[in-house]
Amino acid sequence: MIIPDFHEIERLAKAYDMIPVCRKIYADVITPIALLRKISRISDRYYLLESIEGGEKWGRYSFLGFDPVARIACKNGEVIIEEDGRKEIVYSHKPLEVLRDYLSRYKAPRFADMPPFTGGLVGYFSYGMIGYAEPVLKLRSSEFNDFDLMLFDKGIVYDHLTQKIHIIVNMRTDN
């Protein structure tokens, strides 16, 4: 079964830029690590995130994604946005505003019967990001980007509780 159904997608398309579409399948003979190994054979850019509850309990979900649609990185106020084979460079003393502006194009609904993460940005923010909020600190520059994020519009979510895999694709509503 695919959720949401066609009529729900038509209704939601009027208010949202993206709609996560999900298909659930049984996962009784596969593990998240086995899925990650398969993904690593078909993509150079992928991730595995594990949900944790209380710091010591196993989490319910394992989130996997591959083939990002964009990459956004910042170093010393230079924000580089790579998307659709193009590269755009924006210079800013407030790179988080550039990131917020970029993300404003991706408004999506939440569904109660879907995992809490259905796609979006995955990556890191470095210690150097503090320097943008507190420029008087004069932090030393490092070899790492201030942030480096990839935008994933599809993913696989392994639900350890129900032993099901959610295959999720975020569908654009502008076409």
Side-chain angles (χ1 to χ4, degrees), residues 45 68-75 78-83 88 90 95 98-103 105-106 121-125 145-151:
R45 293 181 171 179
V69 295
R71 178 178 179 217
I72 306 167
C74 174
K75 177 83 169 156
E78 179 183 88
V79 181
I80 300 171
I81 302 169
E82 298 174 34
E83 185 176 34
E88 177 185 355
V90 178
V98 175
L99 192 57
R100 279 188 196 103
D101 185 51
Y102 179 83
L103 283 178
R105 300 185 280 165
Y106 298 99
L121 290 174
V122 176
Y124 71 86
F125 291 91
N145 288 331
D146 300 326
F147 66 75
D148 201 334
L149 306 163
M150 292 183 282
L151 179 66

